[in-house]
Amino acid sequence: MTSLLVIIVLILLSIALWQLTKIFDLTQVGVISDDSQVATDNDNNVQGYLMFGFLAFIYIFTIYGLLKWGGLVLHTPASAHGGDLDSLMNITWLVIFFVQTITQALLYYFSFKYRGRKDQKALYFSDNNKLEIIWSVIPAVVLAGLILYGLYAWANIMFINEDEDTVVIEVYAQQFKWAVRYSGDDNVLGKANVRLIEGVNTLGVDLSDPNSQDDKVATEIHIPKGKKIHFKFRSQDVLHSAFFPHFRAQMNCIPGMVTEFAFEPIYTTSEYRELPFMIEKVSKINAIRAKKSIELVAKGETALDPYTFDYLLLCNKICGASHYNMQMKVIVDSPEDYKKWLSEKPTIVQEVKTANTTAPVDGAIVTDSTKAKDTATTAKVVMNN
């Protein structure tokens, strides 16, 4: 109802303004005015100075944005390849800022210098080979340099040596959550198919595959520091995008195919929390939360909990209404802590067996539900025959 009233008010206000302009036009009857719609020297001068004003606005807002929000960008990368990616990004930004500063200044300067004047005619020439060479060769050389550097970084980041000692982990995306499967002692993931999804086997793991016998499923990602992690991504439903911001890694999760990415974490979670910039950032966040909590408590609401930094896996595609829920904690452990954590996790085969085991009741014999189901099916077939 409120929205409808707002729309009605806006419509009525528009009608009122339209009527006011008509009244203003009536008051100008008999007044001599220039209706030729041809710009005068005064008009051109005003436009020229306004262009300089807009140029100043661009530069001032750019500087203000860097000072105001520059500290919010990601800081120290937590992966071995992150430094290469950040260097490529920083070089690209510097080139963009340099070109933008020069070209915008020249654009508005020439617009002012050669603004229209009475009885002045613009010079026209069809081509200038020197200018063509300059503005074609310089961008081509700069872009070629950026592309070659980018290809070098891409090859270093994306190349995964099959003989290299890695930890193979599957990240499984679905609306609207993540699941993780570890390859176990053999470091080989078993086969999986969405048609096999049933009960606790939410990833559709093929339990008849020998490589699946030691696979383990988890609801959070634990990875060891100093070890290259080979991620394989699948999606159950729509296009998702696995984004590890602090590790400078992102890969699309595409239904019907497996994509992959690898990186080596260089800071454990506890080590990254102790970095000076992170301590300062967490302190600022908690100061804001404490101030907000005072307001909430005054209203009788619950205060906010203090913020603690954690690595996160996010979805970087708008995959549906609850897209914002797709985040999972990533914990980088020491190699020893990682092995201990993984050893305590049951395999997917054990979980399925546990789920299929019927709980004992008063003198009843414990049976495997799968076997019972097979027996019932066999008896039914015999009776039908």
Side-chain angles (χ1 to χ4, degrees), residues 80-295:
H81 77 267
D84 290 339
L85 195 145
D86 281 3
S87 296
L88 177 60
M89 179 64 74
N90 291 333
I91 291 173
T92 304
W93 278 120
L94 288 173
V95 171
I96 290 173
F97 278 130
F98 175 77
V99 173
Q100 186 259 2
T101 301
I102 300 299
T103 55
Q104 292 297 311
L106 292 175
L107 173 65
Y108 291 106
Y109 169 72
F110 285 121
S111 296
F112 175 79
K113 181 177 180 181
Y114 299 108
R115 64 192 183 278
R117 291 188 179 90
K118 188 177 181 180
D119 301 328
Q120 177 175 285
K121 186 177 181 180
L123 174 64
Y124 170 80
F125 55 92
S126 58
D127 59 65
N128 185 310
N129 293 334
K130 185 177 180 181
L131 282 177
E132 292 285 351
I133 292 173
I134 290 174
W135 66 46
S136 298
V137 172
I138 293 178
V141 171
V142 174
L143 288 175
L146 288 175
I147 291 170
L148 289 173
Y149 184 26
L151 289 174
Y152 167 78
W154 174 263
N156 286 341
I157 293 170
M158 295 302 297
F159 179 72
I160 304 171
N161 191 341
E162 293 183 358
D163 298 328
E164 192 174 359
D165 185 19
T166 62
V167 176
V168 180
I169 299 174
E170 178 185 73
V171 175
Y172 189 72
Q174 54 185 307
Q175 293 175 313
F176 296 95
K177 60 182 180 179
W178 299 98
V180 187
R181 179 160 61 116
Y182 288 82
S183 52
D185 295 331
D186 62 1
N187 207 34
V188 179
L189 289 167
K191 297 177 182 178
N193 193 303
V194 291
R195 296 181 179 86
L196 300 176
I197 294 175
E198 183 180 5
V200 297
N201 188 9
T202 55
L203 273 63
V205 178
D206 184 356
L207 301 180
S208 64
D209 185 356
N211 293 323
S212 300
Q213 303 309 304
D214 59 353
D215 288 1
K216 301 180 178 183
V217 177
T219 55
E220 63 180 14
I221 301 178
H222 281 252
I223 52 179
K225 171 190 173 182
K227 189 92 169 185
K228 196 164 190 177
I229 315 299
H230 185 175
F231 286 98
K232 296 191 175 184
F233 303 95
R234 284 195 300 138
S235 173
Q236 178 177 299
D237 33 54
V238 299
L239 184 66
H240 299 275
S241 188
F243 180 39
F244 301 84
H246 295 91
F247 301 100
R248 309 300 193 266
Q250 177 174 320
M251 180 57 67
N252 285 346
C253 308
I254 304 169
M257 67 180 295
V258 177
T259 53
E260 55 188 348
F261 195 100
F263 64 79
E264 177 189 333
I266 57 176
Y267 294 103
T268 64
T269 300
S270 57
E271 288 173 346
Y272 204 83
R273 287 173 180 167
E274 296 303 318
L275 293 178
F277 89 92
M278 183 53 68
I279 293 175
E280 182 182 356
K281 186 174 184 177
V282 171
S283 177
K284 288 180 179 179
I285 292 173
N286 282 328
I288 295 172
R289 293 174 75 88
K291 186 177 179 181
K292 183 65 177 178
S293 294
I294 295 173
E295 298 177 6

Side-chain angles (χ1 to χ4, degrees), residues 322-374:
S322 297
H323 156 74
Y324 62 91
N325 282 325
M326 288 197 66
Q327 52 181 288
M328 176 182 279
K329 185 187 293 186
V330 180
I331 300 171
V332 180
D333 295 315
S334 64
E336 297 76 18
D337 290 340
Y338 168 74
K339 288 179 181 178
K340 180 182 177 183
W341 174 84
L342 189 61
S343 64
E344 295 172 351
K345 299 291 293 181
T347 63
I348 181 65
V349 173
Q350 292 171 337
E351 290 183 344
V352 171
K353 285 183 178 179
T354 302
N356 288 339
T357 301
T358 306
V361 230
D362 296 338
I365 300 175
V366 178
T367 59
D368 187 288
S369 62
T370 305
K371 293 179 180 178
K373 184 178 179 182
D374 292 341

